[in-house]
Protein backbone atom coordinates (compact mmCIF):
# COMPACT_ATOMS: atom_id res chain seq x y z
CA UNK A 1 0.00 0.00 0.00
CA UNK A 2 1.42 3.34 -1.04
CA UNK A 3 1.44 5.89 1.72
CA UNK A 4 1.76 9.61 1.50
CA UNK A 5 2.74 11.43 4.66
CA UNK A 6 2.22 15.13 5.04
CA UNK A 7 3.82 17.30 7.69
CA UNK A 8 3.04 19.20 9.70
CA UNK A 9 -0.57 18.18 10.26
CA UNK A 10 -1.41 21.59 11.74
CA UNK A 11 0.24 24.96 11.33
CA UNK A 12 -0.84 28.25 12.88
CA UNK A 13 1.20 31.31 11.96
CA UNK A 14 0.99 35.10 11.85
CA UNK A 15 0.38 37.03 8.68
CA UNK A 16 3.67 37.78 6.91
CA UNK A 17 5.51 34.64 8.04
CA UNK A 18 6.90 32.02 5.69
CA UNK A 19 6.09 28.33 5.90
CA UNK A 20 6.84 25.01 4.25
CA UNK A 21 4.62 21.94 4.02
CA UNK A 22 6.08 18.55 3.16
CA UNK A 23 4.75 15.50 1.36
CA UNK A 24 6.80 12.28 1.56
CA UNK A 25 6.60 8.71 0.38
CA UNK A 26 8.88 5.70 0.16
CA UNK A 27 7.61 5.08 -3.37
CA UNK A 28 8.32 6.95 -6.58
CA UNK A 29 5.55 9.11 -7.98
CA UNK A 30 4.84 9.45 -11.68
CA UNK A 31 3.33 12.83 -10.83
CA UNK A 32 2.19 14.76 -7.79
CA UNK A 33 -0.62 17.21 -7.29
CA UNK A 34 -1.25 19.87 -4.65
CA UNK A 35 -4.75 20.97 -3.71
CA UNK A 36 -6.18 23.59 -1.37
CA UNK A 37 -9.52 23.04 0.32
CA UNK A 38 -11.43 25.87 1.97
CA UNK A 39 -14.20 25.29 4.52
CA UNK A 40 -17.44 24.13 2.96
CA UNK A 41 -15.86 23.49 -0.43
CA UNK A 42 -14.14 20.70 -2.28
CA UNK A 43 -10.36 20.56 -2.88
CA UNK A 44 -9.15 22.68 -5.79
CA UNK A 45 -6.04 21.85 -7.76
CA UNK A 46 -3.13 24.27 -7.32
CA UNK A 47 -0.41 22.59 -9.35
CA UNK A 48 0.83 19.33 -10.82
CA UNK A 49 4.54 18.46 -10.85
CA UNK A 50 5.87 15.73 -13.07
CA UNK A 51 9.64 15.96 -13.50
CA UNK A 52 12.17 15.22 -10.73
CA UNK A 53 13.66 18.49 -9.44
CA UNK A 54 10.88 20.54 -10.96
CA UNK A 55 10.01 23.86 -9.34
CA UNK A 56 6.74 25.66 -10.05
CA UNK A 57 5.65 29.04 -8.75
CA UNK A 58 2.14 30.32 -8.26
CA UNK A 59 2.40 33.89 -6.95
CA UNK A 60 3.69 33.48 -3.36
CA UNK A 61 3.50 29.67 -3.50
CA UNK A 62 6.54 27.64 -4.61
CA UNK A 63 6.18 23.92 -5.28
CA UNK A 64 9.18 21.63 -5.54
CA UNK A 65 9.35 18.01 -6.65
CA UNK A 66 12.22 15.98 -5.22
CA UNK A 67 14.94 14.76 -7.59
CA UNK A 68 13.98 11.14 -6.89
CA UNK A 69 10.26 11.95 -7.23
CA UNK A 70 9.52 10.56 -3.77
CA UNK A 71 8.82 13.84 -2.03
CA UNK A 72 7.49 17.31 -2.60
CA UNK A 73 7.26 20.58 -0.72
CA UNK A 74 5.06 23.64 -0.80
CA UNK A 75 6.58 26.91 0.41
CA UNK A 76 4.45 29.97 1.05
CA UNK A 77 6.14 33.34 1.32
CA UNK A 78 4.60 36.14 3.40
CA UNK A 79 1.48 34.16 4.26
CA UNK A 80 -1.85 35.97 4.25
CA UNK A 81 -5.16 35.13 5.97
CA UNK A 82 -6.53 34.16 2.56
CA UNK A 83 -4.02 31.29 2.48
CA UNK A 84 -5.87 29.62 5.36
CA UNK A 85 -7.15 26.18 4.43
CA UNK A 86 -6.37 22.50 4.13
CA UNK A 87 -3.48 21.67 1.82
CA UNK A 88 -3.51 18.20 0.31
CA UNK A 89 -0.91 16.44 -1.78
CA UNK A 90 -1.88 13.53 -4.02
CA UNK A 91 0.53 11.18 -5.73
CA UNK A 92 0.05 9.07 -8.83
CA UNK A 93 2.05 5.84 -8.96
CA UNK A 94 2.94 4.49 -12.37
CA UNK A 95 -0.39 5.47 -13.94
CA UNK A 96 -2.53 4.06 -11.16
CA UNK A 97 -5.06 5.82 -9.01
CA UNK A 98 -4.20 8.85 -6.98
CA UNK A 99 -3.43 8.51 -3.29
CA UNK A 100 -4.06 11.51 -1.08
CA UNK A 101 -1.93 12.54 1.87
CA UNK A 102 -3.48 13.27 5.25
CA UNK A 103 -3.42 17.04 4.70
CA UNK A 104 -1.95 20.06 6.45
CA UNK A 105 -4.35 22.46 8.11
CA UNK A 106 -2.98 25.98 7.85
CA UNK A 107 -4.30 28.95 9.75
CA UNK A 108 -2.87 32.38 9.08
CA UNK A 109 -3.80 34.94 11.72
CA UNK A 110 -4.06 38.63 10.83
CA UNK B 1 -21.17 26.86 -14.93
CA UNK B 2 -20.51 24.41 -12.12
CA UNK B 3 -18.22 21.62 -13.31
CA UNK B 4 -19.11 19.00 -10.67
CA UNK B 5 -22.33 19.50 -8.77
CA UNK B 6 -23.69 17.33 -6.01
CA UNK B 7 -26.91 17.51 -4.04
CA UNK B 8 -27.87 17.93 -1.34
CA UNK B 9 -25.18 20.02 0.35
CA UNK B 10 -26.43 19.07 3.80
CA UNK B 11 -28.18 15.89 4.85
CA UNK B 12 -29.36 15.35 8.41
CA UNK B 13 -31.17 12.11 9.11
CA UNK B 14 -31.72 9.43 11.68
CA UNK B 15 -29.92 6.16 12.13
CA UNK B 16 -31.42 3.34 10.10
CA UNK B 17 -32.75 5.55 7.29
CA UNK B 18 -31.86 5.22 3.61
CA UNK B 19 -30.59 8.25 1.69
CA UNK B 20 -29.15 9.16 -1.70
CA UNK B 21 -26.66 11.75 -2.88
CA UNK B 22 -26.63 12.81 -6.52
CA UNK B 23 -23.66 13.95 -8.60
CA UNK B 24 -23.36 15.34 -12.09
CA UNK B 25 -20.36 16.58 -14.08
CA UNK B 26 -20.43 18.65 -17.26
CA UNK B 27 -16.73 18.30 -18.10
CA UNK B 28 -17.11 15.37 -20.46
CA UNK B 29 -14.88 13.22 -18.22
CA UNK B 30 -15.08 9.45 -18.41
CA UNK B 31 -14.10 8.79 -14.79
CA UNK B 32 -16.04 9.71 -11.66
CA UNK B 33 -15.44 9.03 -7.99
CA UNK B 34 -16.89 9.12 -4.53
CA UNK B 35 -14.63 10.10 -1.64
CA UNK B 36 -15.33 10.21 2.08
CA UNK B 37 -13.67 12.88 4.23
CA UNK B 38 -13.77 12.19 7.93
CA UNK B 39 -13.53 14.59 10.86
CA UNK B 40 -9.72 14.48 10.65
CA UNK B 41 -9.97 15.67 7.04
CA UNK B 42 -8.53 12.47 5.60
CA UNK B 43 -9.83 12.01 2.05
CA UNK B 44 -10.48 8.35 1.27
CA UNK B 45 -11.53 6.89 -2.08
CA UNK B 46 -14.73 4.84 -1.94
CA UNK B 47 -15.62 4.12 -5.56
CA UNK B 48 -14.38 4.87 -9.02
CA UNK B 49 -16.41 4.52 -12.22
CA UNK B 50 -15.11 4.70 -15.76
CA UNK B 51 -17.72 5.23 -18.44
CA UNK B 52 -20.48 3.81 -16.23
CA UNK B 53 -18.46 0.77 -15.15
CA UNK B 54 -17.23 0.16 -11.61
CA UNK B 55 -13.42 0.23 -11.53
CA UNK B 56 -12.58 0.55 -7.86
CA UNK B 57 -14.57 -0.51 -4.84
CA UNK B 58 -12.52 0.08 -1.74
CA UNK B 59 -13.35 -1.52 1.57
CA UNK B 60 -16.77 0.02 1.87
CA UNK B 61 -19.78 -1.64 3.55
CA UNK B 62 -22.25 -3.01 1.04
CA UNK B 63 -24.82 -0.62 2.49
CA UNK B 64 -23.21 1.86 0.10
CA UNK B 65 -24.25 1.34 -3.51
CA UNK B 66 -23.12 3.63 -6.32
CA UNK B 67 -25.12 3.90 -9.52
CA UNK B 68 -24.04 5.47 -12.78
CA UNK B 69 -26.94 5.90 -15.25
CA UNK B 70 -24.58 7.58 -17.73
CA UNK B 71 -21.00 8.78 -17.68
CA UNK B 72 -22.01 12.26 -16.52
CA UNK B 73 -23.78 11.04 -13.41
CA UNK B 74 -22.69 9.02 -10.39
CA UNK B 75 -25.14 8.73 -7.52
CA UNK B 76 -24.55 7.21 -4.10
CA UNK B 77 -27.26 5.37 -2.20
CA UNK B 78 -26.75 4.48 1.43
CA UNK B 79 -28.95 1.97 3.25
CA UNK B 80 -29.47 1.61 6.99
CA UNK B 81 -27.41 4.64 7.94
CA UNK B 82 -25.13 4.32 10.97
CA UNK B 83 -23.56 6.90 13.25
CA UNK B 84 -20.15 6.19 11.74
CA UNK B 85 -21.39 7.25 8.32
CA UNK B 86 -21.34 10.88 9.44
CA UNK B 87 -18.79 12.61 7.22
CA UNK B 88 -18.48 14.83 4.17
CA UNK B 89 -18.89 12.93 0.91
CA UNK B 90 -17.24 14.33 -2.20
CA UNK B 91 -17.98 13.50 -5.78
CA UNK B 92 -15.17 14.10 -8.27
CA UNK B 93 -14.30 13.52 -11.91
CA UNK B 94 -11.13 13.33 -13.96
CA UNK B 95 -10.06 12.79 -17.52
CA UNK B 96 -7.83 9.82 -16.65
CA UNK B 97 -7.48 7.79 -13.45
CA UNK B 98 -4.17 9.43 -12.50
CA UNK B 99 -5.26 12.90 -13.58
CA UNK B 100 -6.24 15.73 -11.31
CA UNK B 101 -9.66 15.64 -9.75
CA UNK B 102 -12.43 18.17 -10.14
CA UNK B 103 -14.34 17.99 -6.88
CA UNK B 104 -17.88 18.95 -6.01
CA UNK B 105 -18.52 21.04 -2.93
CA UNK B 106 -19.37 18.02 -0.81
CA UNK B 107 -22.41 16.69 1.00
CA UNK B 108 -22.20 16.93 4.77
CA UNK B 109 -24.03 13.91 6.17
CA UNK B 110 -25.00 13.98 9.84
CA UNK B 111 -26.60 10.99 11.49
CA UNK B 112 -28.66 11.64 14.61
Amino acid sequence: TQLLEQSPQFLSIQEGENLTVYCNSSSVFSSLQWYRQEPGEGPVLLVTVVTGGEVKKLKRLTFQFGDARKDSSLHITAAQPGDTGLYLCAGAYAGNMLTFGGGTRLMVKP
Amino acid sequence: DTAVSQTPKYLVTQMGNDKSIKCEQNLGHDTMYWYKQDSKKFLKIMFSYNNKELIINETVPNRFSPKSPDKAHLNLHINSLELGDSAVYFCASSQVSWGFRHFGDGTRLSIL
Side-chain angles (χ1 to χ4, degrees), chain A residues 8 10-14 17 105-109:
Chain A
F10 302 95
L11 195 51
S12 180
I13 60 172
Q14 292 296 133
E17 292 183 10
R105 279 194 254 191
L106 171 65
M107 175 169 288
V108 182
K109 300 174 190 173

Side-chain angles (χ1 to χ4, degrees), chain B residues 4-79:
Chain B
V4 179
S5 59
Q6 53 183 111
T7 55
K9 190 167 176 68
Y10 300 96
L11 192 48
V12 181
T13 189
Q14 292 194 325
M15 216 163 46
N17 285 349
D18 303 339
K19 290 293 177 186
S20 292
I21 308 172
K22 294 186 175 182
C23 179
E24 175 182 4
Q25 54 97 3
N26 63 5
L27 296 164
H29 290 162
D30 282 345
T31 310
M32 295 185 72
Y33 314 85
W34 278 109
Y35 286 87
K36 179 180 181 180
Q37 189 173 47
D38 59 26
S39 57
K40 294 184 179 179
K41 303 300 182 184
F42 185 69
L43 200 59
K44 186 176 177 183
I45 182 74
M46 298 174 69
F47 301 103
S48 168
Y49 267 72
N50 182 270
N51 205 9
K52 301 192 298 176
E53 288 191 21
L54 180 65
I55 302 298
I56 286 180
N57 180 354
E58 291 293 324
T59 312
V60 176
N62 58 14
R63 298 181 294 104
F64 290 78
S65 52
K67 283 193 171 45
S68 182
D70 55 63
K71 74 172 195 178
H73 295 84
L74 180 61
N75 304 322
L76 183 65
H77 187 76
I78 316 170
N79 288 326

Side-chain angles (χ1 to χ4, degrees), chain A residues 31 33 35 92 96 98, chain B residues 33 93-101:
Chain A
S31 65
Q33 301 159 16
Y35 295 78
N96 290 332
L98 279 184
Chain B
Y33 314 85
S93 73
S94 67
Q95 206 157 17
V96 292
S97 63
W98 59 91
F100 73 90
R101 308 299 192 241

